[in-house]
Amino acid sequence: MTKWTVEELIPAIRSTMERTYNKSVESASIQEVFDVVSTIVNQTIEVNWSKTNNHYREKNPKQVYYLSMEFLIGRLLDSNLLNSGMWDVCNEALTSLGFDPIEVYRQERDPGLGNGGLGRLAACFLDSLASLNYPGHGYGIRYRYGLFEQRLINGYQVELPDDWLIKPYPWEKRRADEAIQIEFGGKAYLQQRADGSLACIYEQTDKVLAVPYDIPIVGYHNEVVNTLRLWSAEPISTKDRPDRDAHYSQLDNNHAIEQISGILYPDDSSEQGKMLRIKQQYFLVTATLKQMIKDFKATNQQSLVDFADKVVIQINDTHPSLAIPELMRILLDEERVDWDVAWAMTTKVFAYTNHTIMSEALEKWHVNQIKSLLPRLYMIIEEINERFCQTIWQDYPHLRERIPAMAIIADEQVHMARLAMVGSFSVNGVAKLHTEIIKTEEMKDFYALYPERFNNKTNGITHRRWLMMANPRLAQLITNTIGTQWIKRPRELTHLLRYTKDQPLLEKLGEIKQHNKQKLADFIHHSTGILVDSQSIFDVQIKRLHEYKRQLLNIMHVIYLYNELKENRQLEITPRTFIFAAKAAPSYYFAKEVIKLINTVAAVVNADADIKGKLKVVFLENYNVTLAERIIPAADVSEQISTASKEASGTGNMKMMMNGALTLGTLDGANIEIEQLVKPANIFIFGLRAEEVYDYYRNGGYSAHEIYQNDERINRILHQLRDGLFGQQNFENIYYQLLSANDPYFVLKDFDSYVETQQLVDQAYQQPNKWLSKSLVNIAHSGKFSSDRTIQEYATGIWKIEKL
Ligand SMILES: *Cc1c(COP(=O)(O)O)cnc(C)c1O
């Protein structure tokens, strides 16, 4: 790779500016500077990108294909600069040209091609794969419109379309030459060939072109550039237009085709029973598999014999699980492989990651939907199901009565998680507790059948983006203290444990946090008009809005504090700023009401002079990767308060821990693993345990009403919700959900324990040195949650791939 120096980069920026815009840098807009810098970075990456691709072609190593309906990659200019070793040089060059580098990087639009944790995980994994020299690529969809942009109007969420391609996206490369033709719908039937074998005849299918757009994934300081390939749906040809009517129906048709990659479904955790969603899923998997097989044959003497030894496909949740019957279809119908051979290959290739046990998120499609859209695939799913049920009946008599609960097709539904488990050699959960729950509760029948398939891979985050890039001051302090080793081996952050009593270091740590908080306070003031005290505790809950994540519990605690302060003007509490950011799915009424509630409370609390600034509540709009990067380095308290057993892992918890926030959380998801590392003294744990939640599910015995009657604090808050909080707006639905629906997420049950633990947080913050020492312990143990560790575990435990 070209190693740029400042002396070389400055003239390169000047001459590229001349060439592209016919301008001097001095007269250029900041957007033009961004364009020019991106061009130069792209050219630099390009060299290693072709080198890496050539290497894969020549060495023909086993490769992993990560299939995901979502990739939440965030901005790429700064991360590409960081990973390609140009960051410092570029910062310096831009500064000396009179530009603020941060302002330049902010010109980039954050592509919202994912909803939340699942899509962000996929992006972290690609970064780690490339940075660890692994041959691995992402495959997804180039949605024309990503996740909606959230605006708050009068405290309500309003959704605007995310028109992210309005300006050309500098990091993608259209590869029209590698477009793949794919087919939907029509009819399929079997016909005997002359030799007696069966051929599948397809008639009247709709044909669509899948055009790949490739995005380079730059490894950290290692010259590796892998690929994220995003497919775009286009009409096959618009050239032949026989007559006017045909022309218009063609236009209609083109519109329908473009819709396939038109928009990302904005729902994080409930299944969307929509034909278009199935079409999108099939579009991703058929295009990807067809291209993989074509490429594979080209580099392997037109033979698929070694396919299963050279290819492993990780499916990110069930969304891409149609890939299993689709690979069978290609092998059977196009490659004329026998069923048994094809099935042996297929089940050697696929590995499935489960992300949730919430029943409303488990994908099920009505058989008629699959039949009409994918008639041949349906026949194959039926056959897979038939054989699967046969096997249980014959070989596992003790599971016979479980067949209705295990069958892939049952009650006129195709159960995608069951298909994924049957068709994969590996099934993994995303944190220890989650994997245990899968094995012993939610998928225990399948665990009884295939115990060897189940394994855990606790999620991770890339420390390059979430520490080095988002919090460069902290990264520098760490390097000054323990050297640079931690960058390549993040587990070595534990060397910081020697410094938990080191006064000068703790002071510097405190200064950096204060600096980050001041920057966030400025941003809050600038974007919302709210003035917050940067010395107050920054208490942060940022994540999708969902009942199980319990933003409601958090805001009820704020109401409780407000009530206390109103009652007793002399009451001393450590000043706090409660910071929220969250998008609600547009159709998720309850979640939207919680957003309105938070904003109503914010308006009342922030304006009340009696509170004397001891409390502030801020809701920042349009939560996305870029906003997360602004907030996380400034967090003191990381709110991870899901109902135990519901949050499969969480990754926001890891990002904040890595930036020195202390977790206030339930024993759920990866919080449990955080607690095991940092020990109870350095984390605030409260609330029901997962076993207790399951115990209530099994035996009943929870009465929200009883708590409501016996706890005066709760009683008062609920009446405030029902009767119009502080005389403004009422939240009857929340009131009824908590009482009539018996509080399905145990908000009232955990309230007391939460309030008590919040008091411990308040007291702990009064001792800055101790607090900073706890903060350092958290940073020191956060290396375990680098996605480098996760990817290393996938690579050796599931994928069996080797480093370049
Ligand atoms: C990390 C991240 C998430 C996941 O947060 P959780 O707290 O684990 O739910 C969601 N959205 C964005 C933008 C993120 O960066």
Side-chain angles (χ1 to χ4, degrees), residues 449-662:
L449 191 59
Y450 309 125
E452 71 292 345
R453 292 190 188 182
F454 285 73
N455 63 90
N456 177 57
K457 297 287 170 281
T458 299
N459 282 168
I461 55 163
T462 166
H463 60 289
R464 289 166 290 275
R465 175 176 293 265
W466 294 107
L467 176 50
M468 300 169 72
M469 208 181 99
N471 199 346
R473 280 185 167 76
L474 179 57
Q476 190 59 52
L477 178 67
I478 294 169
T479 296
N480 293 345
T481 310
I482 59 170
T484 56
Q485 303 290 329
W486 67 274
I487 294 173
K488 286 271 177 182
R489 289 191 294 276
R491 287 299 266 271
E492 297 197 9
L493 283 170
T494 49
H495 290 316
L496 289 169
L497 290 171
R498 278 179 285 163
Y499 298 88
T500 54
K501 300 229 156 59
D502 185 295
Q503 198 51 36
L505 177 71
L506 294 182
E507 245 160 61
K508 285 183 203 132
L509 184 61
E511 281 162 18
I512 289 168
K513 183 62 82 181
Q514 192 50 46
H515 172 90
N516 294 338
K517 287 168 71 176
Q518 187 57 54
K519 276 205 315 194
L520 181 59
D522 295 343
F523 174 74
I524 289 170
H525 185 223
H526 182 75
S527 56
T528 68
I530 302 169
L531 274 172
V532 304
D533 172 8
S534 71
Q535 306 279 340
S536 64
I537 304 175
F538 276 20
D539 183 318
V540 174
Q541 187 172 21
I542 49 175
K543 46 183 77 247
R544 282 303 285 261
L545 212 138
H546 204 287
E547 281 167 281
Y548 84 82
K549 292 178 182 279
R550 298 199 297 189
Q551 282 91 351
L552 182 57
L553 177 59
N554 186 341
I555 198 65
M556 282 176 64
H557 169 248
V558 177
I559 299 173
Y560 158 74
L561 285 180
Y562 178 77
N563 289 340
E564 291 292 295
L565 287 167
K566 288 295 272 186
E567 207 112 288
N568 176 2
R569 307 279 159 96
Q570 261 51 62
L571 184 68
E572 285 305 323
I573 65 161
T574 313
R576 272 222 220 193
T577 303
F578 291 92
I579 298 166
F580 293 86
K583 288 179 183 173
S587 60
Y588 194 169
Y589 184 78
F590 186 87
K592 291 178 134 177
E593 198 166 50
V594 173
I595 292 180
K596 175 62 181 169
L597 173 62
I598 294 169
N599 286 311
T600 304
V601 174
V604 172
V605 169
N606 297 345
D608 192 331
D610 294 349
I611 301 304
K612 303 193 191 74
K614 285 177 206 163
L615 283 187
K616 283 280 161 75
V617 181
V618 176
F619 192 110
L620 291 171
E621 63 188 6
N622 202 36
Y623 185 51
N624 61 14
V625 174
T626 299
L627 186 59
E629 287 166 12
R630 278 185 191 269
I631 299 172
I632 288 168
D636 292 313
V637 176
S638 160
E639 297 261 4
Q640 308 299 336
I641 61 178
S642 53
T643 310
S645 79
K646 295 294 182 195
E647 188 74 88
S649 162
T651 49
N653 45 2
M654 302 168 183
K655 297 168 196 165
M656 284 200 259
M657 170 198 199
M658 195 174 269
N659 282 274
L662 306 195

Side-chain angles (χ1 to χ4, degrees), residues 218-244:
V218 181
Y220 181 77
H221 291 196
N222 65 357
E223 307 198 356
V224 172
V225 180
N226 288 337
T227 302
L228 167 58
R229 172 159 282 194
L230 300 179
W231 299 101
S232 176
E234 294 182 11
I236 299 279
S237 168
T238 45
K239 282 194 205 84
D240 28 18
R241 292 170 180 164
D243 58 56
R244 232 177 106 85

Side-chain angles (χ1 to χ4, degrees), residues 111-379:
L113 307 185
N115 271 289
L118 172 146
R120 183 54 232 172
L121 183 77
C124 283
F125 280 4
L126 295 185
D127 184 85
S128 286
L129 276 164
S131 296
L132 295 175
N133 297 50
Y134 279 120
H137 311 285
Y139 283 82
I141 293 179
R142 180 181 180 268
Y143 300 103
R144 177 63 187 80
Y145 294 92
L147 186 62
F148 65 86
E149 264 190 61
Q150 180 195 54
R151 288 287 138 75
L152 294 175
I153 294 180
N154 190 23
Y156 291 100
Q157 166 172 300
V158 171
E159 300 102 26
L160 304 179
D162 169 44
D163 193 3
W164 72 291
L165 290 168
I166 193 161
K167 281 190 287 187
Y169 183 60
W171 309 110
E172 65 179 10
K173 241 193 154 63
R174 180 182 165 94
R175 306 260 187 222
D177 54 319
E178 298 204 34
I180 303 271
Q181 185 176 316
I182 64 167
E183 297 177 62
F184 291 104
K187 291 192 190 120
Y189 56 91
L190 298 176
Q191 205 172 57
Q192 215 154 40
R193 295 193 187 93
D195 64 2
S197 67
L198 289 174
C200 186
I201 311 297
Y202 298 79
E203 280 173 2
Q204 296 162 2
T205 56
D206 296 326
K207 296 178 182 63
V208 175
L209 204 60
V211 181
Y213 285 74
D214 288 353
I215 297 175
I217 303 295
V218 181
Y220 181 77
H221 291 196
N222 65 357
E223 307 198 356
V224 172
V225 180
N226 288 337
T227 302
L228 167 58
R229 172 159 282 194
L230 300 179
W231 299 101
S232 176
E234 294 182 11
I236 299 279
S237 168
T238 45
K239 282 194 205 84
D240 28 18
R241 292 170 180 164
D243 58 56
R244 232 177 106 85
D245 282 352
H247 171 58
Y248 282 110
S249 82
Q250 182 65 35
L251 284 186
D252 268 1
N253 192 34
N254 291 356
H255 181 67
I257 287 168
E258 280 153 8
Q259 271 201 340
I260 297 171
S261 56
I263 185 156
L264 168 76
Y265 273 86
D267 212 334
D268 196 36
S269 27
S270 88
E271 164 239 339
Q272 290 274 346
K274 300 263 164 60
M275 290 294 261
L276 181 58
R277 173 85 176 166
I278 310 179
K279 253 192 206 175
Q280 293 186 329
Q281 296 183 346
Y282 182 68
F283 174 72
L284 165 63
V285 304
T286 187
T288 305
L289 286 171
K290 282 185 162 182
Q291 177 241 290
M292 274 169 63
I293 286 176
K294 195 170 119 202
D295 288 2
F296 188 88
K297 286 165 89 176
T299 37
N300 293 271
Q301 296 88 41
Q302 296 304 314
S303 160
L304 288 177
V305 187
D306 293 334
F307 189 72
D309 299 319
K310 290 272 169 106
V311 164
V312 54
I313 301 173
Q314 190 71 40
I315 53 180
N316 196 21
D317 212 314
T318 54
H319 317 150
S321 58
L322 286 173
I324 292 164
E326 174 64 6
L327 179 58
M328 286 298 289
R329 187 193 67 78
I330 295 172
L331 293 174
L332 296 167
D333 297 353
E334 295 178 14
E335 302 296 331
R336 300 184 62 171
V337 176
D338 288 343
W339 181 282
D340 290 331
V341 177
W343 185 245
M345 281 173 76
T346 299
T347 50
K348 246 182 108 177
V349 162
F350 286 103
Y352 155 59
T353 303
N354 175 280
H355 282 271
T356 179
I357 52 158
M358 304 243 303
S359 54
E360 65 266 38
L362 288 178
E363 286 190 302
K364 297 186 280 284
W365 304 116
H366 196 273
V367 292
N368 291 340
Q369 292 178 307
I370 305 266
K371 257 190 217 168
S372 67
L373 203 60
L374 307 165
R376 176 58 176 151
L377 232 57
Y378 186 74
M379 294 162 71

